[in-house]
């Protein structure tokens, strides 16, 4: 049948990041067009800004972290995720090389100044979680928002922060330069499992539930494209990827890009399915971090659906 | 503009019991420049005001123009109490009041334009007026490109071009040389006698006051200025200002007013020097 | 002088307006009070604009728990420093350039260029130079305040009446005396116009700086709240800053009245 | 009038300064040319400040490939709109309030408050109101430009010489005529001072708006580049915008000269 | 300030062959206000300049003050070529030049302060000067709180308080009433005779010019103004300005200069009306 809304406006916070690589791939390889969609992607300074534009109605679909759907529900905004792009948060925590020698366990984070992308974001949440594993409260260290750009490098190298929790490519860059020692790495499934106590869905496409209900064919088309991108990435060589992503993404440093890609590869969703177990993990993690989220009040079943992914797999066997 | 209807015998301008106190700095007493001054100008009358410098002449004109609300007293224009600006009056300020962003010609026509005259016609009138004040060819100059006396004459043309029923003039000719001054005085008299405007004319030149006016009012030295003498000038009209100064009656009036003023000024100085 | 009566009336209108604004805010963001107008549903309005009652309870919390003082203190210090440094720099530089035509002509494009640079984008560089502490926020604020004051002082000095200037020079004023006795007083109303403008921007600089990277300050609180979609806290922060901006502005107004005493005011006669 | 010789000299100094700045940039960020000064190693300097040669080759690329035109066009339109709307609004509002003392007194705290609001934080709300397209960027720019122009016009109108004002009123000027023939011309130099300032800020508004969320424009390019640490592209974007800011400023200066003809200039005698 | 050393017989002020052309708007010819004018003021001489309004008197004073560079011609002060400001001169401007942000007293002492006088002493001198110009008690007023004549007297005190070797005065007394004017004129003569300043005095009042000066210079009507007559005033000194006007020699001189000026003004008008 005909697609209800062929023009879809997707909002994303930091499009060039690996976190959203499948989105870029789908766009570059023309998968959206193949589905009869005309997609416009607006880039925002951060994930929360992107989702706010969808709440406000200026964009239709968010490309963002799954946990935001839970966050939003606690604010009476019902959003539903319908396809997964990342199955691990891709956040890494590192301590500066100066402190690395004396760093034995998570409890040594006590008293440190820790740089996160933004206070209150997932990078902050991860710090709180691993701190809790080391028996620390959130007041035992100080959190500094340093963004995800050059500011992180500046802060780290000038010794203004002792530890950093951030995403790629910053973390790989710091690692390569020998500025940090990684102490927790959710770019791998294993560590994600350990830290969160289960799989943790990361990048997904989500939209207001009314949008999903009103435009099933559109949502299906979006899902199809992303699932194809997910699958393409599983088999693609680094060379394929270098050829596919916009040149601007690589301009900074091609080697770095590949190095970084190697690290996050594992975290990219293989099939687009959102693991049911993962959603409970996310809720648990969020509620320990943010007391305003009361697990009993959240209807998890509203926050995601795998129906579209299922149909996508039927279409693209 | 001309208030023909209201001109039913009422005085053109009646300032009655005017007191003007200026607020002092916080805690200090105010300064009463004018106290209980009364000045009535009949329709068609030419009244000159003379008085020591700083006595309150400009203040009285400001009150008559409706620019300054007196602390006490009433102002009537053609019998109507004055509220806000005096729309029947044209006011030639003592200070430089030309708009520096307009050239001389545009300054002259400003009033006409404000009152909605057609631009072409206004410019025509403006040029004629520039000629009358001897400034033909200077129409495109800005204020800072004119001499002091030229600026004064532009302001004169600006005010006269509107042909107001009441003319308030504050030392209009003091920046002019004697000859130009006589020419301007004669222009003013011509204009005045043509349709009998009411004129209040402030000057420091007693000869000028006498040769132009129907009546000369002498103010006391400040503070608390008030009129201390009125002199009807019963010289024949029409007058030529350069000739009238030789008449014996002129000389006699001059002497009388001069003595009155002189004693007033010296009184003022004595008071200050105490 | 304005009578007491009209001053009271003024205050009354202002307070009514304020109350009206808060009432509208309350009604429009409360899911139960009205059929939703702008947004499809009022929850959404609350999501974006918060709810005034919650905003106030947030403010109250802050002050009761004392949590806010540290942050407020940091932000105020940053703002005041940015304001002071920016103003002094702007005045000094403006006075200098206005009196040094060659330097002004040479530097002109550079100043315009610096003014046109999007400072927010340069924040990482500020961070490199000034660190993550107060200094980088102050620096950001200074770049906002400086230009506003500078452009006004520069123009203000050039507007000095040529006659007064010539007179002062004939009276033997040295370039320094000219600055102090002629240019500065004459440019004073220009300076004050720019100060009213730049107070607000000093706050903006401090808050945005904190927003981009910091460990304390009201901007930090706002940023943190945004991360968890706690819009009420965001608005509480903004209201708090606004209140302080008004206090600072009032201080500037007092200075202004004090310095501008010489200017003619309308209607100076006393009513008897 | 300034002779041709001195104008040439001026340009020469300016260009020398520019060349010097680029040379310093090049030397300080080139890993091989100098022992590192500020940073432990010069690579780091290049990481934060880019390298001029790469910046220029980026600029060249953009124009050769034609990729930049679409983005530049969007940003310029946003800037111009913000500038025009902000200026008109500021002038109109400033004129109105300066002539309506009651309204001015009532609105005073609200204006100050609005000016002190950190607009960047409100950017999401602008996006709700104005969408993700140009309108929200224009809105952000307008909030920057408006206040600058407003404060200056407001003060400028109050600075009108009382004698000239009284004279115009006695000549029968209606309130409208007063605005047009007295207040506006008299406030003109205030307006121009604020325009020079606000051109830059109109650009800042557009770029920051794009930076915060958009799908095209130079700010978008800068944001993309920052995400992958391509500092050279960031600087290329900033340089490009700066160049256009200077062009716009030059247009304003031409207007200014045209409108300010009446002002006395120094040394008006002709040399024979 | 006083240039005692240089006063070795050289003229206090020598303007030679001065031409002043003002640039016209783009494309238009300039306006030559003064052409080939020469004016020499000996040390200790009191020279008055009279001439039709707008002829170029203020322009010449500006040149003498070093404020306006002439298009051609040379200026020497006490034998030295003038470069930049004339540091030996005090200049009383025709236009209002008080600093509006300073009160009257501070305006009077401004020059003293600029030249580094001790504040207390400067204020003392300033107060004395305010008394001399009849403004005691008005020291704390700002410019807009003073009348036109008062402002002029503050400016007078400001200039005289510096006791310059050369005094350039542009219509200093035209805003004063006759009596106050006589008082000020006598003050000026006292001051001048005490240490023989050199004075260039511009006025429109011929009687004033004759009664004060050693020499009266008459300028032609503009444009291309130049001196067309010089009249040595051989009246005895010391003079009392109010009495001297009755001397027959005074009346004779007055008549001669008057006629010269009158024909000049009429010529000017005739030229304009063509
Ligand atoms: N705004 C004011 N505040 C205080 N005093 C004022 C104000 N305006 C005028 N005065 C005082 O009122 C008195 C009268 O001033 P006014 O200008 O009317 O004098 P005048 O007769 O016109 O003098 P002149 O002949 O010098 O022009 C003066 O002493 C002056 O100082
Ligand atoms: N900046 C200028 N640009 C063009 N013309 C000027 C400028 N300044 C003065 N003039 C012209 O020079 C002539 C002489 O002016 P000046 O002020 O010297 O006259 P004045 O003799 O002082 O007249 P008044 O007695 O009216 O003060 C006038 O025609 C005037 O228009
Ligand atoms: Mg007066
Ligand atoms: Mg003159």
């Amino acid at each position: 049948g005909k697609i209800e809304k062929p023009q879809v406006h997707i909002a994303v916070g930091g499009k060039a990041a690996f976190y959203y690589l499948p989105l870029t791939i789908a766009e570059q390889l023309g998968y959206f067009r193949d589905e009869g969609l005309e997609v416009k992607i607006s880039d925002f300074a951060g994930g929360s800004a992107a989702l706010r534009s969808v709440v406000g109605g200026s964009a239709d679909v968010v490309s963002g972290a799954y946990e935001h759907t839970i966050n939003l529900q606690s604010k009476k905004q019902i959003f539903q995720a319908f396809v997964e792009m990342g199955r691990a948060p891709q956040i890494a925590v590192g301590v500066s090389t100066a402190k690395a020698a004396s760093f034995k366990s998570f409890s040594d984070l006590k008293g440190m100044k820790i740089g996160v992308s933004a206070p209150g974001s997932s990078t902050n949440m991860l710090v709180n979680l691993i701190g809790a594993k080391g028996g620390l409260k959130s007041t035992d260290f100080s959190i500094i928002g340093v963004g995800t750009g050059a500011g992180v490098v500046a802060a780290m190298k000038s010794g203004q922060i002792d530890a950093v929790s951030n995403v790629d490519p910053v973390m790989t860059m710091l690692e390569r330069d020998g500025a940090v020692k990684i102490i927790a790495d959710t770019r791998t499934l294993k560590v994600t499992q350990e830290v969160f106590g289960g799989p943790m869905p990361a990048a997904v496409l989500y939209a207001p539930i009314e949008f999903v209900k009103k435009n099933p064919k559109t949502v299906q088309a979006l899902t199809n494209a992303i699932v194809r991108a997910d699958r393409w990435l599983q088999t693609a060589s680094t060379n394929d990827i270098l050829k596919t992503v916009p040149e601007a993404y690589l301009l900074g440093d091609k080697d770095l890009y590949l190095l970084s890609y190697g690290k996050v590869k594992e975290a990219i969703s293989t099939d687009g399915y959102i693991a049911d177990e993962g959603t409970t993990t996310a809720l648990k993690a969020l509620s320990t971090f943010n007391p305003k989220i009361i697990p009993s009040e959240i209807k998890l079943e509203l926050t995601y659906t795998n129906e579209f992914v299922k149909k996508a797999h039927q279409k693209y066997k | 503009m001309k208030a023909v209807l209201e001109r039913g015998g009422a005085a053109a301008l009646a300032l009655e019991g005017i007191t003007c106190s200026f607020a002092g700095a916080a805690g200090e007493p105010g300064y009463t420049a004018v106290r209980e001054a009364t000045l009535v100008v009949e329709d068609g009358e030419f009244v000159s005001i003379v008085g020591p410098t700083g006595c309150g002449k400009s203040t009285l004109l400001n009150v008559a123009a409706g620019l300054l609300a007196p602390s006490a007293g009433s102002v009537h224009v053609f019998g109507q109490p004055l509220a806000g600006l005096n729309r029947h009056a044209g006011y030639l300020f003592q200070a430089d009041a030309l708009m520096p962003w307009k050239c001389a010609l545009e300054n002259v026509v400003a009033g006409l334009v404000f009152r909605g005259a057609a631009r072409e016609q206004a410019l025509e009138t403006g040029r004629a007026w520039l000629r009358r004040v001897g400034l033909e060819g200077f129409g495109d100059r800005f204020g800072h490109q004119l001499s002091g006396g030229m600026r004064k004459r532009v302001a004169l043309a600006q005010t006269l071009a509107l042909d107001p029923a009441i003319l308030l003039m504050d030392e209009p000719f003091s920046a002019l040389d004697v000859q130009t001054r006589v020419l301007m005085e004669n222009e003013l008299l011509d204009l005045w006698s043509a349709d009998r405007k009411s004129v209040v004319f402030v000057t420091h030149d007693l000869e000028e006051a006498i040769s132009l006016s129907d009546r000369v009012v002498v103010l006391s030295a400040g503070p608390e200025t008030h009129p201390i003498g009125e002199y009807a000038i019963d010289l024949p009209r029409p007058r030529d200002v350069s000739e009238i100064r030789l008449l014996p009656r002129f000389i006699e009036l001059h002497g009388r007013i001069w003595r009155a003023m002189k004693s007033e000024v010296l009184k003022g100085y004595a008071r200050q020097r105490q | 002088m304005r009578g007491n009566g009209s001053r009271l009336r003024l205050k009354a209108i202002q307070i009514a307006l304020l109350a009206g604004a808060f009432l509208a805010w309350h009604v429009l963001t409360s899911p139960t009070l009205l059929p939703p107008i702008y947004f499809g549903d009022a929850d959404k309005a609350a999501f974006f604009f918060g709810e005034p009652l919650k905003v106030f309870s947030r403010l109250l919390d802050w002050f009761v728990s004392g949590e806010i003082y540290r942050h407020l203190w940091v932000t105020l210090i940053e703002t005041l420093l940015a304001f002071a440094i920016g103003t002094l720099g702007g005045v000094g530089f403006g006075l200098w350039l206005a009196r040094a035509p060659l330097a002004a002509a040479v530097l002109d494009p550079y100043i315009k260029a610096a003014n046109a640079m999007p400072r927010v984008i340069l924040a990482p560089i500020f961070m490199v130079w000034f660190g993550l502490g107060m200094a980088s926020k102050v620096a950001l604020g200074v770049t906002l305040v400086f230009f506003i004051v500078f452009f006004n002082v520069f123009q203000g000095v050039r507007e000095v009446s040529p006659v007064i200037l010539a007179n002062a020079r004939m009276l033997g004023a040295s370039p320094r005396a000219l600055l102090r006795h002629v240019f500065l007083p004459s440019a004073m109303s220009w300076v004050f116009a720019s100060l009213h403008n730049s107070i607000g921007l000093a706050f903006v600089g401090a808050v945005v700086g904190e927003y981009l990277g910091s460990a304390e300050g009201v901007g930090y609180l706002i940023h943190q709240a945004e991360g968890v979609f706690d819009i009420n806290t965001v608005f509480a922060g903004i209201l708090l800053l606004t209140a302080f901006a008004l206090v600072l502005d009032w201080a500037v107004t007092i200075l202004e009245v004090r310095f501008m005493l010489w200017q003619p005011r309308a209607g100076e006669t006393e009513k008897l």
Side-chain angles (χ1 to χ4, degrees), chain A residues 301-317:
Chain A
E301 65 277 12
L302 288 181
T303 64
Y304 74 106
T305 168
N306 276 321
E307 268 177 42
F308 298 100
V309 180
K310 227 178 276 163
K311 282 192 199 132
H313 280 285
Q314 281 159 15
K315 182 166 176 198
Y316 296 100
K317 286 245 167 61

Side-chain angles (χ1 to χ4, degrees), chain A residues 139-162:
Chain A
T139 46
D140 287 339
F141 36 77
S142 57
I143 294 293
I144 306 183
V146 289
T148 57
V152 188
V153 182
M156 197 71 214
K157 293 199 177 172
S158 58
Q160 303 190 44
I161 51 177
D162 306 312

